[in-house]
């Protein structure tokens, strides 16, 4: 793989993700196999987590395929947008997101697709400036790839993606909090860090049902499992990461230390 090609892709993806407030993204590039795109660079996510999306066929009903086929950008503000246009995409990703896709082209030469994932903005369309930035960055990358091709570089990606760490400034913050869950009463006592995340409408202690109503369903199940483990023989805290719905309706990543305790009988 050409170092110049890798650097051009990585630089463009990182610059675009940070420029439009994304939390992850990357570039799909033609692979040398007719009709098949490969994820060449992945920013902000571990490669194995995204493995089902490393390969994308042009004829699949997903945004990357549509953008590459049509040469037209796609902007999905939230899950409702995605459900209307690409229901298969929503079914395959178990978390809410907004996403932006722009074709990487130079003249009639189609190289691939630039992608950004970011927090959803329910009811608020993707802004004009962000749309224009996606288009501008994709065209800029297309020109860079065309230049590499003229100088003899094969602009194809036959292998696994290169993973790029998102800078701390551009990454979504991880908020920390802890809780004590009394399994006998079902009441949860939270520290100041967790209360700050939850906002003024939630008080401590509260019932476990109140807390789990703010979690994604699968994370609620994980909380129950963590508490049961924490209440085991050694009583050690269980640390888990959860996606928590904030007061603003957005999702926050929470790392919580769960120390469950059950009262002794009698």
């Amino acid at each position: 793989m050409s170092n110049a090609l890798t650097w051009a892709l990585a630089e463009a993806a990182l610059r675009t993700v940070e420029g439009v407030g994304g939390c992850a993204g990357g570039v799909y590039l033609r692979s040398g196999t007719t009709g098949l795109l490969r994820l060449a660079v992945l920013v902000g996510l571990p490669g194995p987590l995204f493995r089902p999306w490393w390969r994308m066929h042009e004829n699949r009903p997903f945004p990357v395929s549509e953008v590459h086929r049509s040469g037209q950008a796609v902007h999905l503000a939230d899950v409702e947008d995605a459900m209307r246009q690409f229901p298969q995409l929503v079914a395959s990703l178990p978390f809410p997101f907004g996403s932006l896709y722009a074709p990487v082209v130079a003249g009639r030469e189609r190289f691939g697709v630039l992608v950004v994932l970011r927090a959803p903005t329910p009811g608020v369309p993707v802004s004009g400036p962000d749309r224009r930035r996606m288009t501008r960055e994709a065209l800029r990358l297309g020109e860079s790839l065309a230049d590499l091709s003229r100088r003899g570089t094969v602009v194809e990606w036959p292998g696994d993606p290169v993973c790029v760490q998102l800078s701390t400034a551009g990454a979504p913050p991880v908020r920390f909090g802890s809780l004590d869950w009394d399994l006998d009463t079902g009441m949860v006592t939270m520290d100041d860090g967790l209360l700050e995340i939850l906002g003024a409408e939630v008080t401590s202690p509260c019932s476990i049902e109140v807390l789990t109503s703010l979690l994604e369903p699968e994370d609620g199940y994980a909380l129950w499992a963590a508490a049961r483990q924490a209440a085991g023989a050694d009583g050690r805290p269980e640390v888990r990461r959860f996606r928590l719905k904030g007061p603003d309706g957005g999702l926050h990543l929470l790392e919580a230390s769960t120390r469950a305790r059950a009262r002794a009988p009698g």
Side-chain angles (χ1 to χ4, degrees):
M1 211 79 66
S2 162
N3 286 336
L5 175 60
T6 302
W7 281 112
L9 296 171
E11 181 183 5
L14 185 59
R15 184 174 58 242
T16 307
V17 169
E18 294 182 341
V20 299
C23 57
V27 182
Y28 282 87
L29 204 63
R30 58 194 186 185
S31 65
T33 299
T34 302
L36 177 66
L37 298 174
R38 283 185 178 272
L39 183 61
V41 168
L42 177 63
V43 173
L45 286 173
L49 180 67
F50 219 67
R51 184 180 290 274
W53 301 95
W54 284 8
R55 296 156 54 95
M56 184 67 64
H57 288 274
E58 286 186 359
N59 61 358
R60 298 194 69 190
F62 292 103
V64 168
S65 303
E66 172 67 23
V67 169
H68 189 62
R69 285 195 309 267
S70 69
Q72 300 297 314
V74 168
H75 309 102
L76 305 175
D78 57 17
V79 173
E80 289 189 5
D81 257 3
M83 181 63 76
R84 282 192 295 268
Q85 299 182 56
F86 301 98
Q88 295 87 347
L89 176 66
V90 176
S92 60
L93 289 177
F95 55 88
F97 61 92
S99 53
L100 295 76
Y101 310 82
V104 179
V105 298
R108 295 189 176 183
E109 188 83 4
R110 297 186 301 165
F111 293 108
V113 179
L114 181 62
V115 181
V116 171
L117 301 181
R118 64 183 192 177
T121 55
V124 180
V126 177
S127 70
D130 284 347
R131 291 170 184 252
R132 290 190 291 273
R133 180 181 283 272
M134 284 292 300
T135 298
R136 185 170 63 249
E137 294 291 357
L139 289 174
R140 180 178 175 181
L141 175 58
E143 290 300 328
S144 296
L145 298 182
D147 183 58
L148 287 174
S149 181
R150 285 191 293 268
R151 289 188 279 129
T153 297
V154 177
V155 183
E156 294 174 352
W157 199 268
D160 296 345
V162 170
C163 295
V164 180
Q165 180 67 43
L166 194 63
S167 71
T168 303
V174 178
R175 309 280 296 277
F176 291 90
S178 64
L179 57 91
D180 287 308
W181 180 1
D182 188 323
L183 294 180
D184 253 7
T185 66
M187 298 301 288
V188 175
T189 303
M190 296 168 282
D191 70 355
D192 291 342
L194 184 49
L195 286 172
E196 183 180 353
I197 296 168
L198 295 173
E201 295 182 3
V202 180
T203 59
S204 179
C206 69
S207 70
I208 185 61
E209 288 78 15
V210 169
L211 180 59
T212 54
S213 71
L214 301 171
L215 298 174
E216 291 298 291
E218 59 268 33
D219 291 330
Y221 302 141
L223 180 60
W224 279 92
R228 292 294 178 182
Q229 291 172 3
D234 57 17
R236 291 183 298 177
E238 288 289 322
V239 178
R240 291 288 188 276
R241 283 194 171 188
F242 305 98
R243 289 159 295 173
L244 187 67
K245 295 176 186 175
D248 58 358
L251 286 176
H252 303 275
L253 183 62
L254 166 69
E255 186 167 276
S257 174
T258 307
R259 298 182 298 275
R261 61 189 181 211
R263 292 179 183 173

